Amino acid sequence: MKLLVVNGPNLNMLGIREKHIYGDRDYDALCRYIREEAAKLGCEVELFQSNHEGAIVDRIQQAYFDGTEGIVINPAAYTHTSVAILDALKAVQLPAVEVHLSDVNAREEFRRLSYAGMACRAHFIGLGFEGYGRAMAWLVQAKG
Ligand code: DQA
């Protein structure tokens, strides 16, 4: 199965940013974890990170044309603001799963609203890196 994992703004700053919330492992460690879990699942995985909303929309659109069969997405702050990312996920109609490292429901009120989540079939929230592994496994299982 061919998967795309999309990470939004500031996730490239893992290991530096708000360690008490996101932990001290960096983005490279997250990428290694995702690649290892994908290999265990027998999946091909492409990782994409951007700090720019339009670049994320472009990459989701590209997934429609490049044979991607499932999307794991942590839109980071754009979760709570971006109708454009929601619409892109709806446009491509690929199975998508939402991931957040932290428990967004236990933080500030504004983090409870997820636009992208409205186009996602499953949600793994507050599980740290493990959420990405669980999300990929969910997509593999859903494909059957
Ligand atoms: C996040 C939660 C968001 O609210 C925040 O803006 C992030 C990271 C998470 O993975 O916990 O940047 O998506």
Side-chain angles (χ1 to χ4, degrees), residues 9 17 22 74 76-77 80 100-102 104 107 111:
R17 71 182 294 211
Y22 301 113
N74 180 350
H80 320 297
H100 296 287
L101 294 163
S102 66
V104 283
R107 298 177 61 191
R111 293 188 202 273

Side-chain angles (χ1 to χ4, degrees), residues 55-91:
I56 294 169
V57 169
D58 286 345
R59 188 62 193 85
I60 292 167
Q61 288 183 9
Q62 191 189 320
Y64 181 81
F65 301 101
D66 71 8
T68 296
E69 297 170 276
I71 297 175
V72 173
I73 184 160
N74 180 350
Y78 289 137
T79 305
H80 320 297
T81 62
S82 180
V83 176
I85 292 173
L86 166 64
D87 285 351
L89 290 170
K90 284 181 165 177

